Amino acid sequence: MRALVAGIIALTILSGRGMALADAVVLTVTGDVKDAPVTFTRAELAALPQHRLSTSTTVTDGVPVFEGFLMRDLLGAVGAEGETVTAVALNDYSIQIPISDFERFDVLGAVAMDGESLTPRDKGPIWIVYPRDDHPELQDMRYETRWVWQLHTLDVQ
Amino acid sequence: MSAPSAAAPRGGSWMALYGPLLPLLAICLVPLAFALTRTAAIERDMRIAATENMLWVVSQTQMEMLNLAVTAMSPDQTEDDIAHRYDMVLSRLALLQDGPQRRYLAELGHEVTVGQIERELRRLDPVARGHSDELHDALSGLGLDLQPQLKRIATDVMTAEWTAAAERLDDYRSMQRTVVLAVGSALVAALVISWLLLRNQRRLHRAEMMQVRANVMLERERNTSAWYKDFAALVSHEIRTPLTLIDSAMHRLLRKGETVTAHDVAERHAVIHDAVLRLTRVVETVLMAGRVDEEAVESRLAPENLSALAEKAIADAQRHYPDREIILSSSATGLLAQCDRHLVGHILGNLLSNALKYSPPDTPVELRLFAQGGRVACAVGDRGPGITPAEQDHVFERFYRGRDQMTKPGTGLGLALSRELASLQGGEVTMESWPGRGSLFTLWLPAATRHDA
């Protein structure tokens, strides 16, 4: 039902090319979650509560506005129980992130930047974005490595 | 002398004591603050430096390009695989052309190169042109062709990063030197401050010591004035009495006029002689007491035969009291005391005179010599009324006179003086008394050995 509603919403929002993308799985959650693996299409991700976050990044200029879901909402939706997630990107970049990060900060799974959907040709489909401008402690190398772009798999442990 | 006030000078001298510390404190803190800003700058610099991982980004791009070339020429790869690899390369090229990375490459003169690479790659976009073997061959060829260019960019980036790292190291080194210098000078200033504080504390301490000394002087002055008051009372009695005796003796002789006989003269002469002796003793005692106070009494210590000293003292006393019996006994012969003979003579004279004065004329006074525990002693005993326990505490105080003895001649200085003279020689005077039976005053002196003689 949820997927259906999300699909309808997605259909109204996305362009023709987006329609094709809306059907494709963009994120897979594995590991210690209910009914693993759980897959998400763009539309399904768009059905999660949406948030905006303005923050600078180390690889772009200015203060882009990111849109997407909160990582803790996603993990809550899949019933994740664990300490860490291993985030894997399309280019096989992989890094472990403590789940406590998502509880302490409003970490965004960004699907759009400055109003444009993120694509695999840029940093999409999902870019993990920390609110680094709001929390000075996040302006630290140890956190920069957790800004995974081209995210496609989360493994909960 | 006025009573010194402690608060006033201390409050006033605060600036004098601590004023010099303020510039030193600045000398101490300013370099530290400077060192702090320098190290903060280093920290900031390192943070920025750490985000510059351009070499990694360029290498990733080169690798993805190679992946595309390999995937595109491989016969068993699907179109999706190739499209995915193509997207990966584009995403790296996009990253290279994002703000900070673009500026970095522009500085190395590679901005245009990356733009050209992307344009060439975009011409072979499988989404726009559809997959075909020709396209795949072209992609593979292009991927390989672009390798040298990407490699050159990587080399240039690496050189630039190493150069920057070396320059940064130079910066850190010079910063380190300034920080060491700053901390060093802060340390020196801190040392100077501690030294000044210590010195000030010593000064305060010295001032306090002087205050204590001043108080002691004040106390002594007060004692002296009390002494003079007591001395005045003494003079009025002890000196006036014999003078009156002399005066009346002379008057009697004068009244007799022509009828004066040799017997009269001899009688009056004895009275006058006695009065003069009494005066002399008072003056001697007072002078001695004065010299003790001035710490002007010198004791010339030498081994002395205690019996000889005792015999001389008895002989002197006997002259004033020719009718009294004085018994000398000794537990051993040849007892030697390390002492000053004149001072001992004075002490024994005083003890004997007291014993004779305060005991009935028909009782003997005993003088016993003995040795005990490295000391020799001379005990003077009488069979007088003794001293009550309440009065025993005071007999060695200056100007103290026994309540029942006020009528007897005496300065009230004798026992106090005797005790002080004894201590000057390393000895003491002790007292035992049994009311109704008599008193025993003992002079203790350090024993001398033959060897010392």
Side-chain angles (χ1 to χ4, degrees):
Chain A
M1 180 62 191
R2 194 185 68 189
L4 184 65
V5 172
I8 293 165
I9 295 168
L11 274 173
T12 55
I13 294 171
L14 296 171
S15 63
R17 185 179 140 214
M19 255 188 346
L21 283 171
D23 296 335
V25 168
V26 290
L27 180 65
T28 307
V29 186
T30 61
D32 200 355
V33 296
K34 259 184 237 158
D35 310 321
V38 186
T39 59
F40 287 90
T41 62
R42 268 189 179 270
E44 284 167 333
L45 290 176
L48 291 168
Q50 295 296 295
H51 292 265
R52 274 167 179 270
L53 170 62
S54 296
T55 182
S56 63
T57 82
T58 56
V59 293
T60 59
D61 284 340
V63 183
V65 179
F66 294 94
E67 291 164 71
F69 53 89
L70 290 179
M71 289 299 283
R72 62 167 168 269
D73 288 346
L74 174 80
L75 293 181
V78 298
E81 281 179 23
E83 299 286 312
T84 58
V85 290
T86 304
V88 185
L90 287 173
N91 69 334
D92 297 328
Y93 175 87
S94 117
I95 191 153
Q96 289 201 329
I97 302 173
I99 287 179
S100 59
D101 274 15
F102 307 142
E103 285 148 13
R104 284 167 61 208
F105 310 108
D106 292 338
V107 182
L108 206 65
V111 293
M113 182 171 97
D114 289 335
E116 283 193 36
S117 283
L118 292 168
T119 73
R121 291 189 173 188
D122 191 1
K123 296 182 184 64
I126 300 163
W127 187 0
I128 297 179
V129 176
Y130 280 72
R132 80 196 290 275
D133 288 359
D134 299 335
H135 304 276
E137 68 262 39
L138 291 178
Q139 293 163 24
D140 185 299
M141 279 303 291
R142 281 160 288 199
Y143 284 105
E144 307 293 357
T145 57
R146 297 175 190 171
W147 288 54
V148 179
W149 59 61
Q150 296 178 321
L151 174 71
H152 82 104
T153 302
L154 285 173
D155 185 43
V156 182
Q157 292 299 327
Chain B
M1 183 181 280
S2 65
S5 150
R10 204 168 288 179
S13 59
W14 190 92
M15 270 313 287
L17 281 173
Y18 295 104
L21 297 186
L22 296 178
L24 274 169
L25 212 61
I27 291 176
C28 183
L29 290 180
V30 167
L32 275 182
F34 178 70
L36 203 67
T37 49
R38 293 296 278 183
T39 46
I42 291 180
E43 193 266 338
R44 252 197 322 278
D45 193 34
M46 286 189 68
R47 186 170 286 198
I48 294 162
T51 58
E52 287 177 354
N53 51 354
M54 270 302 281
L55 186 58
W56 185 82
V57 176
V58 174
S59 314
Q60 287 288 305
T61 312
Q62 192 189 352
M63 199 194 72
E64 292 297 353
M65 191 69 88
L66 200 61
N67 269 341
L68 172 64
V70 171
T71 309
M73 79 169 80
S74 165
D76 53 349
Q77 295 294 330
T78 63
E79 290 179 357
D80 278 352
D81 288 335
I82 296 168
H84 171 62
R85 286 294 150 207
Y86 182 83
D87 285 354
M88 287 304 102
V89 178
L90 278 185
S91 75
R92 297 305 116 164
L93 288 171
L95 181 63
L96 278 180
Q97 292 176 91
D98 266 336
Q101 293 77 248
R102 191 187 64 239
R103 280 191 297 281
Y104 192 106
L105 291 175
E107 255 177 61
L108 300 179
H110 286 306
E111 189 188 10
V112 183
T113 322
V114 175
Q116 278 169 353
I117 289 173
E118 192 191 350
R119 270 194 299 283
E120 282 184 51
L121 199 65
R122 287 255 184 213
R123 256 183 248 132
L124 301 177
D125 186 347
V127 174
R129 300 185 43 170
H131 288 277
S132 67
D133 287 346
E134 291 76 30
L135 182 77
H136 292 170
D137 286 347
L139 276 173
S140 181
L142 181 63
L144 291 175
D145 285 349
L146 291 174
Q147 282 299 308
Q149 291 187 42
L150 287 169
K151 194 167 182 176
R152 199 176 321 124
I153 295 175
T155 310
D156 287 355
V157 167
M158 186 196 73
T159 311
E161 281 187 2
W162 281 51
T163 308
E167 281 167 2
R168 204 169 284 139
L169 265 181
D170 287 347
D171 270 3
Y172 292 168
R173 254 195 295 265
S174 92
M175 275 190 208
Q176 198 181 30
R177 261 197 298 275
T178 34
V179 166
V180 166
L181 217 77
V183 171
S185 58
L187 203 70
V188 169
L191 279 176
V192 173
I193 286 177
S194 336
W195 178 77
L196 279 176
L197 279 174
L198 268 178
R199 199 192 56 172
N200 287 351
Q201 210 163 14
R202 266 205 304 273
R203 278 186 185 169
L204 268 177
H205 182 68
R206 213 175 301 151
E208 276 167 7
M209 288 301 289
M210 279 170 74
Q211 188 127 19
V212 167
R213 215 171 297 160
N215 286 342
V216 168
M217 299 270 287
L218 183 69
E219 185 62 22
R220 198 177 288 177
E221 226 166 287
R222 280 198 189 121
N223 286 344
T224 310
S225 88
W227 195 89
Y228 276 122
K229 222 184 283 168
D230 291 334
F231 184 70
L234 167 79
V235 166
S236 71
H237 184 259
E238 281 307 300
I239 296 179
R240 225 187 262 163
T241 309
L243 287 176
T244 312
L245 284 175
I246 293 168
D247 190 44
S248 68
M250 295 306 289
H251 269 290
R252 273 184 207 174
L253 277 181
L254 275 177
R255 261 207 306 277
K256 295 226 170 184
E258 298 291 316
T259 64
V260 72
T261 65
H263 175 74
D264 287 334
V265 171
E267 199 176 298
R268 302 296 170 234
H269 175 262
V271 169
I272 290 170
H273 180 69
D274 203 48
V276 168
L277 271 180
R278 202 169 140 189
L279 265 178
T280 308
R281 283 175 52 113
V282 168
V283 169
E284 262 178 12
T285 305
V286 168
L287 283 180
M288 184 66 92
R291 282 167 63 211
V292 167
D293 285 349
E294 296 293 314
E295 292 168 13
V297 175
E298 279 181 38
S299 56
R300 292 195 190 80
L301 302 182
E304 300 286 353
N305 189 318
L306 199 57
S307 309
L309 296 177
E311 278 161 17
K312 187 175 178 301
I314 291 170
D316 287 346
Q318 209 84 66
R319 271 198 282 136
H320 294 97
Y321 298 89
D323 304 330
R324 296 293 296 270
E325 186 187 2
I326 302 173
I327 305 166
L328 174 65
S329 66
S330 182
S331 67
T333 53
L335 288 175
L336 288 178
Q338 184 72 13
C339 62
D340 179 307
R341 60 163 74 208
H342 297 293
L343 301 184
V344 169
H346 196 95
I347 297 166
L348 289 181
N350 175 254
L351 295 183
L352 275 172
S353 144
N354 280 350
L356 293 163
K357 198 157 52 181
Y358 298 122
S359 60
D362 55 343
T363 59
V365 165
E366 286 172 79
L367 214 153
R368 201 161 54 82
L369 310 180
F370 61 96
Q372 193 181 82
R375 296 196 295 179
V376 293
C378 180
V380 179
D382 66 58
R383 295 183 192 172
I387 305 165
T388 63
E391 287 183 318
Q392 284 182 15
D393 293 339
H394 302 289
V395 292
F396 287 106
E397 287 173 11
R398 281 190 173 189
F399 302 114
Y400 180 80
R401 306 287 312 278
R403 217 164 349 120
D404 303 332
Q405 269 71 43
M406 284 307 196
T407 51
K408 296 232 168 69
T411 57
L413 274 173
L415 278 176
L417 189 58
S418 293
R419 176 167 267 197
E420 283 166 35
L421 292 179
S423 86
L424 276 177
Q425 305 167 79
E428 61 171 332
V429 175
T430 60
M431 175 214 51
E432 290 164 274
S433 191
W434 303 267
R437 287 165 55 198
S439 302
L440 187 69
F441 284 87
T442 308
L443 167 65
W444 298 87
L445 291 166
T449 57
R450 279 281 167 217
H451 181 73
D452 292 329

